[in-house]
Amino acid sequence: MTKPPSLDDYRVPYFSDKRAAKFSLDALDPSAKPFSTGTKEGDRDRLSVVSERIDVQQERLHAQRYERVLLVLQGMDTSGKDGTIRGVFHEVDPLGLRIVPFRAPNAIEAAHDFLWRVHRQVPAAGELTIFNRSHYEDVLVPRVMGQIDATEWERRYRQIREFEAMLTETGTTIIKCLLHISKDEQKGRIQARIDDPTKHWKFDLSDLEARKSWGAYQAAYRDALAATSTEYAPWYVIPANSKSHRNVMVAELLLRVLEGLKLEFPPAKEELKGVQVD
Amino acid sequence: MTKPPSLDDYRVPYFSDKRAAKFSLDALDPSAKPFSTGTKEGDRDRLSVVSERIDVQQERLHAQRYERVLLVLQGMDTSGKDGTIRGVFHEVDPLGLRIVPFRAPNAIEAAHDFLWRVHRQVPAAGELTIFNRSHYEDVLVPRVMGQIDATEWERRYRQIREFEAMLTETGTTIIKCLLHISKDEQKGRIQARIDDPTKHWKFDLSDLEARKSWGAYQAAYRDALAATSTEYAPWYVIPANSKSHRNVMVAELLLRVLEGLKLEFPPAKEELKGVQVD
């Protein structure tokens, strides 16, 4: 009998663990589908079931107004960040959900430290917040562009660890996912966007520049993940060449975290007991 | 043959129209179901169809990143603001959606003019934003509580008209809905919340105070709607005793507005034509 897949097998070793030094993205197959049911239809059904259970948890989160949950999504262009949000949260009540996209910093944002704009957007009590890109862009893009050196990116890794430690110590649960696709898969997806004029809004010619630096980005991701996967804010690598697998796996991961919080509705209010409305 | 119902029949006469003076909420039956299919199941199916069409429009809105759409939801406690958001937007991509709840102003908010916190939350280009309560609370609550006089609330009506005019002149489309329930319907809904301990988080004993001022609130709503329904930011009264009717009607209204914007995907980018990805 094969051992069933475990989400923990896809967790990046913690920074404090010796194995972090040996962590390699290349060793993880982007085409793997460990959490797939085997068919697209099966995955869709499974996603629907998990999504409804997330919805149940999220209502309690919202009712309780105590826990805060942050899901960070990172990945190369076309890795499916938007698609994951749509797929996983399509059936979740929009009331307690907040999606925050981070683009290239504007002038005011760039005039502050790199965590400033991120801190303003962290979840409040009762919120499930999704970062579509995040503060991790600031240890990836400037590194690949040659704007910061190793001393600076190491310093930022530490700053990120300390920032995330503070967030978790003050009540936030953090889950971080790298949507892991292959260079070849990206090729097909970018070509499809180029060939469909209604998809041009998702793409700029300049995005091809990042693709030219594929190897440098993978190296930057590897280092960033190994340096910032912690017990309190772990990174998971999501094999994402298959969209239906990607959605199921992110949903299963989020559900496990939410159910782990043991969320309950707040206690009944004594003063409401037996009250008759006029 | 009966004339089919028109959404315009539920639009509050414009402030500039003589009929606004005669506008009465009492004349509108909260139990009416003009946009219902006749059965709950039929309404659910219809909602699903309309919701998918809203989703199509919303993707274009998001892609275009030009138009901004603001939906304002107001109503007495238990009138179904949360339920409308869940029902109408449950199937809409959360990516381009932003829900903003307004509660009693906090210290910083109260230290500013009443439009300050609202202005910070208006939709950006490409956004569909939903206000769950709004600046209208500030011409309802303080009026009923006796904290402001007619001079002040008339002044606020004018300030609201001018604020909303500025928003629409600068590219925002505004739709405002009053979820209209009867006092008796509210009684049943509050009692149900009291009788179900898992619903207590939605309710405080102090909420019964607002119910005691039902008549005063209805009068305040009547005046506020008549004073701020304009061609550029009209108010609609949604008969909301039936939840399934309420959802269908709000969805139909929003869809009409979105389709009226004639949203298209942005034009294809010439520079992407024929590009082959390496």
Side-chain angles (χ1 to χ4, degrees):
Chain A
M1 256 181 71
T2 355
K3 200 171 139 272
S6 161
L7 289 163
D8 296 329
D9 298 338
Y10 293 84
R11 196 183 59 216
V12 177
Y14 298 142
F15 164 70
S16 55
D17 187 324
K18 277 180 192 166
R19 283 172 299 177
K22 291 188 189 158
F23 167 69
S24 159
L25 271 176
D26 296 334
L28 293 161
D29 178 9
S31 291
K33 300 196 268 184
F35 297 92
S36 174
T37 61
T39 64
K40 274 193 189 182
E41 295 67 38
D43 286 352
R44 206 173 301 135
D45 292 347
R46 176 69 192 154
L47 179 62
S48 190
V49 169
V50 177
S51 185
E52 273 173 39
R53 286 172 62 191
I54 290 174
D55 191 38
V56 168
Q57 294 298 318
Q58 193 251 20
E59 193 192 358
R60 294 178 185 188
L61 182 79
H62 181 66
Q64 202 172 59
R65 219 175 269 259
Y66 177 72
E67 301 279 355
R68 306 127 201 242
V69 179
L70 175 61
L71 173 65
V72 173
L73 294 180
Q74 282 285 158
M76 299 292 288
D77 276 339
T78 76
S79 62
K81 299 177 289 297
D82 287 7
T84 302
I85 295 170
R86 184 179 174 89
V88 175
F89 298 101
H90 204 230
E91 292 183 50
V92 174
D93 192 343
L95 266 182
L97 208 60
R98 196 159 55 83
I99 323 278
V100 186
F102 289 100
R103 301 196 178 84
N106 65 28
I108 294 171
E109 290 168 346
H112 291 84
D113 67 85
F114 76 103
L115 294 170
W116 178 79
R117 64 174 183 159
V118 173
H119 205 163
R120 292 161 56 106
Q121 298 284 3
V122 298
E127 270 189 348
L128 170 54
T129 300
I130 301 155
F131 281 0
N132 187 348
R133 303 189 189 267
S134 67
H135 42 304
Y136 285 94
E137 292 293 313
D138 296 291
V139 289
L140 298 167
V141 182
R143 170 174 165 165
V144 172
M145 307 275 275
Q147 293 158 349
I148 58 174
D149 61 13
T151 309
E152 178 57 20
W153 72 64
E154 292 288 349
R155 198 163 74 128
R156 291 191 187 185
Y157 293 155
R158 175 178 53 73
Q159 290 165 339
I160 288 175
R161 285 192 303 268
E162 291 170 357
F163 173 64
E164 291 180 352
M166 180 277 290
L167 290 181
T168 52
E169 283 159 8
T170 52
T172 303
T173 300
I174 304 176
I175 322 145
K176 301 179 293 195
C177 293
L178 170 65
L179 307 182
H180 184 43
I181 57 168
S182 62
K183 193 175 178 190
D184 208 49
E185 177 69 21
Q186 190 193 50
K187 179 180 173 175
R189 293 188 185 182
I190 292 181
Q191 193 65 58
R193 287 191 184 176
I194 289 174
D195 295 345
D196 178 354
T198 72
K199 296 279 165 61
H200 280 190
W201 64 276
K202 291 188 177 186
F203 197 73
D204 276 315
L205 208 50
S206 64
D207 291 339
L208 285 175
E209 292 306 310
R211 179 170 166 79
K212 286 182 190 152
S213 309
W214 182 272
Y217 271 104
Q218 293 294 306
Y221 262 114
R222 196 224 75 87
D223 285 4
L225 268 58
T228 59
S229 189
T230 55
E231 271 180 70
Y232 50 87
W235 270 108
Y236 291 85
V237 178
I238 313 292
N241 275 3
S242 155
K243 295 173 185 175
S244 67
H245 169 266
R246 172 200 75 203
N247 288 352
V248 168
M249 185 171 169
V250 172
E252 299 268 14
L253 181 61
L254 179 62
L255 179 63
R256 184 174 76 158
V257 169
L258 290 172
E259 290 187 342
L261 293 175
K262 310 274 180 224
L263 298 164
E264 296 293 344
F265 283 104
K269 292 174 180 166
E270 271 306 313
E271 73 274 19
L272 291 181
K273 213 170 158 184
V275 167
Q276 290 297 318
V277 183
D278 289 326
Chain B
M1 254 181 68
T2 354
K3 200 170 140 272
S6 161
L7 289 163
D8 296 329
D9 297 339
Y10 293 84
R11 196 182 58 215
V12 177
Y14 299 143
F15 164 71
S16 53
D17 186 323
K18 277 181 193 166
R19 283 171 297 176
K22 291 189 189 157
F23 167 69
S24 159
L25 271 175
D26 296 333
L28 293 161
D29 178 9
S31 292
K33 299 196 267 185
F35 297 92
S36 174
T37 61
T39 65
K40 274 193 189 183
E41 296 66 39
D43 285 352
R44 208 173 299 136
D45 292 346
R46 177 68 191 154
L47 180 61
S48 191
V49 168
V50 177
S51 185
E52 275 174 37
R53 284 171 64 189
I54 290 175
D55 191 36
V56 167
Q57 294 298 320
Q58 193 251 18
E59 194 193 356
R60 293 178 185 188
L61 183 78
H62 181 66
Q64 200 172 61
R65 217 176 272 257
Y66 178 71
E67 301 280 353
R68 305 127 200 243
V69 179
L70 175 61
L71 173 66
V72 173
L73 294 180
Q74 283 285 158
M76 299 292 287
D77 276 338
T78 77
S79 62
K81 298 177 289 297
D82 287 8
T84 301
I85 294 170
R86 185 179 174 88
V88 175
F89 298 100
H90 205 230
E91 292 184 50
V92 174
D93 192 342
L95 267 183
L97 209 60
R98 195 158 56 83
I99 323 280
V100 185
F102 289 98
R103 302 196 177 82
N106 65 28
I108 293 171
E109 290 169 346
H112 291 84
D113 67 85
F114 76 103
L115 293 170
W116 178 79
R117 64 175 184 158
V118 173
H119 205 162
R120 291 161 56 105
Q121 299 285 3
V122 296
E127 272 190 347
L128 170 55
T129 300
I130 301 155
F131 281 1
N132 187 347
R133 303 189 189 267
S134 66
H135 43 305
Y136 285 94
E137 291 294 313
D138 297 290
V139 288
L140 298 168
V141 181
R143 171 174 164 165
V144 171
M145 308 275 275
Q147 294 158 348
I148 57 174
D149 61 11
T151 309
E152 179 57 20
W153 70 65
E154 292 288 350
R155 197 164 74 129
R156 292 190 185 185
Y157 295 154
R158 176 178 52 74
Q159 291 165 337
I160 288 175
R161 286 193 302 268
E162 291 170 357
F163 173 65
E164 292 179 352
M166 180 278 291
L167 290 181
T168 51
E169 283 159 8
T170 53
T172 303
T173 301
I174 304 175
I175 321 145
K176 301 180 294 195
C177 293
L178 170 65
L179 306 183
H180 184 44
I181 59 169
S182 64
K183 192 176 179 189
D184 209 48
E185 176 69 21
Q186 190 193 50
K187 179 180 174 177
R189 293 187 184 182
I190 292 180
Q191 193 65 58
R193 288 189 183 179
I194 288 173
D195 295 345
D196 177 356
T198 72
K199 296 279 164 63
H200 281 190
W201 63 278
K202 291 187 179 188
F203 197 72
D204 277 314
L205 207 50
S206 64
D207 292 339
L208 285 174
E209 293 306 309
R211 179 169 166 80
K212 286 182 190 152
S213 308
W214 182 273
Y217 271 105
Q218 294 294 305
Y221 262 115
R222 195 224 75 88
D223 284 5
L225 267 58
T228 60
S229 188
T230 55
E231 271 179 72
Y232 50 87
W235 271 108
Y236 291 84
V237 178
I238 313 292
N241 275 4
S242 156
K243 294 173 185 176
S244 66
H245 169 265
R246 172 200 75 202
N247 288 353
V248 168
M249 185 171 169
V250 172
E252 299 267 14
L253 181 59
L254 179 62
L255 179 63
R256 183 174 76 159
V257 169
L258 289 172
E259 290 187 341
L261 293 175
K262 309 275 181 223
L263 299 163
E264 295 294 343
F265 283 104
K269 291 175 180 165
E270 272 305 313
E271 72 275 22
L272 291 181
K273 212 171 159 184
V275 168
Q276 289 299 316
V277 183
D278 291 324

